[in-house]
Amino acid sequence: MTAYSVLDLVPVREGGTLEEAFAAAARLARAAEAAGCKRFWVAEHHAMEGIAGGATSVVLAHLGNATKAIRIGSGGIMLPNHTPFQIAEQFGTLAALFPGRVDLGLGRAPGAGPELQRALRKDLHRAAEMFPQDVVELRALLTGMGEVAIRATPGHGAEVELWMLGSSLFGASLAARLGLPYAFASHFAPDHLDAALELYRRDFQPSAALVRPHVMVAMNLFAADTSEEAEYLASSQLQAFVRLRTGQPGKLPPPVENYRASLPPPARLMLEHIGQASAIGTPAEAAAQVRAFVARTDADEVIFAGPTYDPSHRERALATTLAVLADPSQDS
């Protein structure tokens, strides 16, 4: 049975504040828990005024306190930005605070220009080259399986579920070799989805953590009473995508009518391309698109992205779509 989860970037909307963004994230986490979601993940981004999840482990502590049972985790921690020891301590602390609820999804892309490299005091490109070794070291720090020069406290022996994230064949290959569950960022980088999943499943080597391949795929989800309204709500994220790709990132803008039609053809094609893993429409229409994507990928889990300018619309989209997915009789 397919499991469903939520990926949140903790968006800061135009005219909004950080305080509002963190409060909205907590409400969304509670809504996800009430809707029966398995996980609630936060992604690490830095120096972006429209995304408030930079201190990811701190945000996860906030969300853990706001919820009762849903798993909380990173989707992901960009390990080149850190040392394995620091992340072991942070997620070991989270595991002690929220036993049996903590995931640690790891990504390789530093996603940083020279300014951020200087701010972090790291050569991020060299750190990215060390990513496989750092993942192995981090796993050893958490599990005690393998030699490490120092014990992380908190961290050593922590019950943390490790995941490999990716949008290319590299992450799929590493996840297979290490026997880790694999999450693909198809919600914004769909190009290598099918090839990556094939490689991961073909080359998977069982581990102490996982005996068979386990795949999560990401989708954008926007649902409303009508397909037109869902497209209208999605336009906030579409605007954010276009601004990011044209070097003008900012806070999440309010939705606009007929946004796609207002764009030049290259921008429309770009949105169509990166939006291949999207469910937009009424709850029944969105659920049908989710089922089709699961049939294509044979995914064990789907994680939903898709911020809305008014956070309550995202909470409602999640609840109504999951209700249809749970009860196909509501499709009509």
Side-chain angles (χ1 to χ4, degrees), residues 107-175:
R108 177 179 65 133
E115 297 83 3
L116 183 57
Q117 290 199 69
R118 285 193 291 270
L120 294 175
R121 306 291 197 273
K122 293 199 73 175
D123 180 345
L124 296 180
H125 296 290
R126 171 153 178 74
E129 294 174 356
M130 296 294 296
F131 179 70
Q133 296 94 314
D134 283 349
V135 173
V136 171
E137 180 180 340
L138 175 55
R139 182 167 66 174
L141 285 164
L142 290 169
T143 65
M145 298 172 58
E147 293 187 10
V148 291
I150 188 172
R151 176 176 289 199
T153 304
H156 180 81
E159 187 180 349
V160 175
E161 188 171 299
L162 277 178
W163 282 72
M164 184 60 58
L165 312 184
S167 58
S168 70
L169 302 186
F170 178 90
S173 178
L174 184 59

Side-chain angles (χ1 to χ4, degrees), residues 146-274:
E147 293 187 10
V148 291
I150 188 172
R151 176 176 289 199
T153 304
H156 180 81
E159 187 180 349
V160 175
E161 188 171 299
L162 277 178
W163 282 72
M164 184 60 58
L165 312 184
S167 58
S168 70
L169 302 186
F170 178 90
S173 178
L174 184 59
R177 177 156 56 90
L178 297 180
L180 296 176
Y182 180 55
F184 193 92
S186 36
H187 63 304
F188 73 89
D191 286 353
H192 303 290
L193 171 63
D194 299 302
L197 298 190
E198 180 182 3
L199 184 154
Y200 169 67
R201 289 172 172 136
R202 183 194 70 208
D203 295 348
F204 181 83
Q205 300 177 28
S207 68
L210 195 64
V211 297
R212 61 181 60 87
H214 188 94
V215 166
M216 176 192 284
V217 293
M219 293 190 75
N220 298 299
L221 172 65
F222 299 96
D225 291 339
T226 67
S227 55
E228 293 78 12
E229 183 185 3
E231 177 69 20
Y232 170 71
L233 297 177
S235 69
S236 290
Q237 186 189 50
L238 300 181
Q239 293 175 75
F241 270 144
V242 170
R243 293 178 183 182
L244 180 63
R245 293 296 176 92
T246 56
Q248 304 173 72
K251 294 184 177 181
L252 187 70
V256 296
E257 296 282 359
N258 300 315
Y259 176 65
R260 288 183 202 258
S262 72
L263 294 171
R268 288 202 300 271
L269 288 173
M270 182 268 290
L271 289 179
E272 287 178 16
H273 179 71
I274 65 174

Side-chain angles (χ1 to χ4, degrees), residues 7 10 17 46 71 79 109 112 116 128-129 140 144 169 181 218-219 222 224 233-234 242 271 290-291 296 310:
L7 172 65
V10 195
T17 65
H46 296 287
R71 297 188 68 89
L79 194 54
L116 183 57
E129 294 174 356
L169 302 186
M219 293 190 75
F222 299 96
L233 297 177
V242 170
L271 289 179
V290 172
R291 291 193 189 103
R296 168 186 163 184
D310 180 343

